């Protein structure tokens, strides 16, 4: 950071501390801003970025609901239109399709996926129906990247800002016919998966049984539910995790202190973790130009996604044992999606910026560990659109003053006001760095991520 940038950052912090509205939050950290470099010939840069062969490590970053529009809104607000996010710096990009399929009839697409079907797509390499957690269109379990990586001797991690039982983290380590079956007392929609009916149990129970080395996020509520059958009947899922060897932590201090001797379960909220930023809610007829503020409800001890990512990398990157095998880590920025549903532009942008800080931590690791494949993508598009400031939209809009010092109007119009906004069926960006990253180029399908990662780690 240059002296000027450090000064700007310090002033920004001071202003936020004093609660003054302008300048807005966090518009000055991250990659250095600069004018576009597109005028240069990038042929050799791109050629150098294409490397085949094996990876020791894979980091898969998922911005939930992070379509091109969500990326652009965050870039405009936090870096300026000509600035770049950390995720923009990956050398190879493409687009992938995200559609799901109909339950019981995988020959027919469902054009708008949810996070469960989409995550199951890259986790297993098979398309499935909305709501499915790593089961096929008929409800049969399919092995996941994390399970295969573990079976092949890799260390594994699963990190999110949502409940760890939420769809995107769940698809790596659980197989249930409906995403709502998060704990042993929440199995109404998955009777066949319930322990008391001879199934493998709820998502929380199955995550413990799958046993990633690092499992971080929210969702403590479901770990407090009681197991209903089998060895741990009558005990909580957290007790089951402890019996399986997990150390558990609940705040940033505990996270920082956690050692490598045991697998790590971090549960930092009862439900989803709090978002980083707050600001004017979009409404029909629009808002006066405003800025984003730090969320006053954010617990002081809550780690950021970048903190969780750095800790996961630190714990997973062990040099001992398993013939030097590396790791597979998924990191999800979950509440980009959730704040898009809520038509909350500052919530959404703050989560996108927080996700980007985690990506920066991942790419920094990859630069010092060049045998690391980094993929940055999304599971589906979402509602928010950047529209002209004088547009007469029938949707809900809010206007934010960006890093450029000019107003940007964001529109939410996939549902009526007061209802949850909807996912969209658009293709989304996928970006890559490291071995096998060339496979993101062009237009692919999200299920190809399964094959790219499997190839990179020689999974079988
Ligand atoms: Zn969603």
């Amino acid at each position: 950071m240059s002296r000027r940038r450090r000064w700007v950052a310090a002033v920004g912090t001071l202003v936020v501390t004093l609660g003054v509205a302008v300048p807005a939050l966090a518009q000055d950290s991250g990659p250095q801003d600069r004018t576009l470099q597109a005028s240069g010939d990038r042929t050799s840069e791109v050629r150098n970025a294409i490397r085949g062969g094996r990876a020791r490590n894979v980091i898969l970053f998922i911005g939930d609901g992070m379509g091109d529009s969500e990326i652009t809104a965050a870039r405009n607000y936090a870096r300026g239109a000509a600035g770049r996010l950390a995720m923009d710096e990956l050398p190879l990009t493409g687009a992938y399709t995200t559609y799901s399929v109909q339950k019981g009839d995988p020959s027919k697409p469902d054009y708008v996926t949810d996070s469960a079907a989409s995550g199951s797509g890259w986790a297993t390499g098979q398309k499935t129906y909305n709501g499915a957690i790593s089961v096929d269109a008929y409800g049969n379990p399919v092995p996941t990247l994390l399970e295969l990586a573990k079976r092949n001797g890799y260390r594994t991690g699963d990190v999110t800002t949502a409940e760890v039982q939420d769809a995107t983290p769940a698809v790596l380590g659980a197989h249930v016919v409906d995403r709502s079956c998060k704990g042993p007392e929440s199995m109404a929609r998955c009777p066949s998966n319930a322990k008391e009916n001879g199934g493998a149990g709820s998502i929380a129970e199955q995550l413990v049984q799958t046993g990633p080395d690092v499992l971080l996020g929210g969702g403590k509520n479901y770990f407090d539910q009681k197991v209903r059958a089998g060895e741990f009947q009558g005990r909580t899922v957290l007790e089951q995790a402890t019996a399986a060897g997990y150390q558990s932590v609940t705040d940033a201090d505990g996270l920082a202190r956690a050692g490598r001797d045991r697998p790590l379960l971090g549960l930092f909220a009862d439900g989803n973790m709090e978002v980083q930023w707050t600001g004017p809610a979009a409404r029909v007829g629009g808002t006066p130009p405003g800025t984003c503020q730090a969320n006053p409800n954010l617990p002081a001890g809550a780690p950021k996604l970048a903190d969780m990512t750095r800790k996961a990398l630190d714990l997973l990157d062990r040099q001992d044992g398993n013939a030097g095998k590396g790791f597979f880590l998924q990191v999800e920025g979950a509440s980009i999606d959730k704040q898009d549903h809520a038509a909350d532009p500052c919530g959404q942008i703050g989560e996108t910026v927080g996700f980007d800080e985690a990506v920066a931590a991942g790419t920094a690791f990859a630069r010092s560990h060049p045998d690391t494949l980094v993929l940055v993508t999304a599971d589906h598009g979402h509602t928010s659109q950047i529209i002209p400031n004088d547009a007469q939209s029938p949707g809900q809009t809010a206007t934010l003053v960006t890093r450029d010092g000019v107003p940007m109007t964001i529109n939410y119009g996939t549902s009526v006001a007061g209802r949850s906004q909807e996912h969209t069926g658009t293709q989304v960006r996928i970006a890559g760095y490291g071995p096998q990253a060339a496979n993101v180029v062009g237009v692919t399908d999200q299920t190809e991520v399964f094959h790219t990662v499997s190839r990179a780690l020689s999974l079988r």
Side-chain angles (χ1 to χ4, degrees):
M1 199 185 277
S2 71
R3 179 169 301 176
R4 184 193 143 266
R5 294 183 52 73
R6 197 171 293 136
W7 181 85
V8 170
V11 170
T13 306
L14 178 65
V15 168
V16 169
T17 306
L18 296 175
V20 179
V22 180
L25 223 161
Q27 291 182 348
D28 32 44
S29 61
Q32 59 193 14
D33 56 319
R34 52 181 161 66
T35 52
L36 293 177
Q37 296 179 342
S39 53
D41 182 356
R42 297 182 61 242
T43 305
S44 64
E45 185 189 329
V46 170
R47 188 179 288 129
N48 291 341
I50 295 177
R51 284 183 285 139
R54 287 202 54 189
R56 185 171 188 275
N57 314 304
V58 173
I59 314 173
L60 173 58
F61 285 100
I62 305 295
D64 200 307
M66 192 184 70
D68 284 343
S69 191
E70 284 71 27
I71 296 172
T72 309
R75 184 194 302 120
N76 287 349
Y77 185 80
R79 305 281 178 261
R84 287 294 176 263
L85 298 161
M87 70 178 93
D88 295 328
E89 308 281 354
L90 274 72
L92 300 169
T93 61
Y96 75 26
T97 50
T98 65
Y99 66 93
S100 53
V101 297
Q102 296 183 15
K103 192 171 190 174
D105 187 359
S107 72
K108 289 199 174 61
D110 187 335
Y111 294 116
V112 183
T113 190
D114 78 335
S115 297
S118 185
S120 297
W122 72 71
T124 70
Q126 288 194 32
K127 294 261 182 208
T128 187
Y129 60 91
N130 287 356
I133 300 293
S134 289
V135 295
D136 67 15
Y138 306 100
N140 305 305
V142 188
T144 73
L145 279 176
L146 187 144
E147 292 164 344
L148 292 168
K150 195 175 159 76
R151 192 184 303 167
N152 282 261
Y154 291 92
R155 297 172 66 76
T156 57
D158 194 359
V159 175
T160 182
T161 53
E163 298 166 340
V164 296
Q165 304 87 355
D166 201 26
T168 309
V171 296
L172 292 179
H175 308 268
V176 293
V177 296
D178 190 275
R179 60 184 290 172
S180 67
C181 302
K182 296 178 177 179
E185 297 167 24
S186 309
M187 296 298 285
R189 301 187 70 169
C190 311
S192 65
N193 302 122
K195 272 255 161 80
E196 60 270 30
N197 296 330
S202 65
I203 292 169
E205 293 163 279
Q206 290 193 43
L207 285 172
V208 171
Q209 288 150 203
T210 299
D213 298 283
V214 177
L215 180 59
L216 305 176
K220 184 175 180 299
N221 279 342
Y222 297 100
F223 278 82
D224 291 337
Q225 292 190 1
K226 291 210 166 78
V227 177
R228 291 189 159 183
E231 185 186 353
F232 297 100
Q233 184 173 358
R235 297 162 73 187
T236 66
V237 184
L238 186 60
E239 289 175 301
Q240 180 187 347
T242 304
Y246 277 97
Q247 55 183 323
S248 63
V249 300
T250 56
D251 59 19
D253 283 349
L255 179 68
R257 280 198 302 270
R260 290 186 172 80
D261 51 324
R262 284 180 291 159
L264 176 62
L265 174 63
L267 296 172
F268 305 110
D270 289 336
N272 298 317
M273 294 177 70
E274 276 288 347
V275 298
Q276 300 289 318
W277 294 4
T278 186
R283 61 174 192 242
V284 176
T287 68
T291 56
C292 304
Q293 313 297 326
N295 177 5
N297 298 322
L298 187 65
K304 289 182 163 189
L305 186 60
D307 301 328
M308 297 193 281
T309 302
R310 278 188 287 268
K311 184 67 178 189
L313 291 169
D314 183 43
L315 294 177
L316 293 173
D317 183 36
R318 287 176 70 168
Q319 304 298 321
D320 59 318
N322 283 328
K325 283 211 169 159
F327 60 80
F328 169 76
L329 169 64
Q330 178 179 290
V331 176
E332 185 205 18
S335 291
I336 304 166
D337 167 80
K338 296 181 194 309
Q339 297 307 306
D340 225 324
H341 280 299
D344 177 348
C346 284
Q348 171 194 318
I349 291 171
E351 293 308 285
T352 313
V353 170
F355 174 72
D356 195 58
E357 290 166 358
V359 171
T363 53
F365 177 90
R367 274 192 291 276
S368 59
H369 301 74
D371 46 3
T372 302
L373 168 62
V374 178
L375 298 174
V376 182
T377 188
D379 52 356
H380 52 76
H382 219 305
T383 303
S384 66
Q385 292 286 336
I386 303 161
I387 64 170
N389 292 313
D390 59 357
Q392 300 293 309
S393 170
Q396 302 172 78
T397 65
T399 299
L400 299 175
V401 180
T402 69
R403 169 75 182 271
D404 297 312
V406 299
M408 168 175 69
T409 296
I410 301 189
N411 180 61
Y412 297 84
T414 55
S415 186
V416 297
R419 293 276 303 271
S420 176
Q421 298 295 308
E422 302 282 5
H423 300 174
T424 63
T426 182
Q427 64 189 30
V428 296
R429 181 205 284 191
I430 177 169
Y433 171 88
Q436 297 287 339
N439 292 296
V440 308
V441 173
V443 178
T444 59
D445 183 78
Q446 52 153 205
T447 50
E448 293 178 48
V449 169
F450 174 85
H451 301 288
T452 298
V453 173
S454 294
R455 216 166 25 242
L457 296 177
S458 299
L459 299 181
R460 38 166 116 207

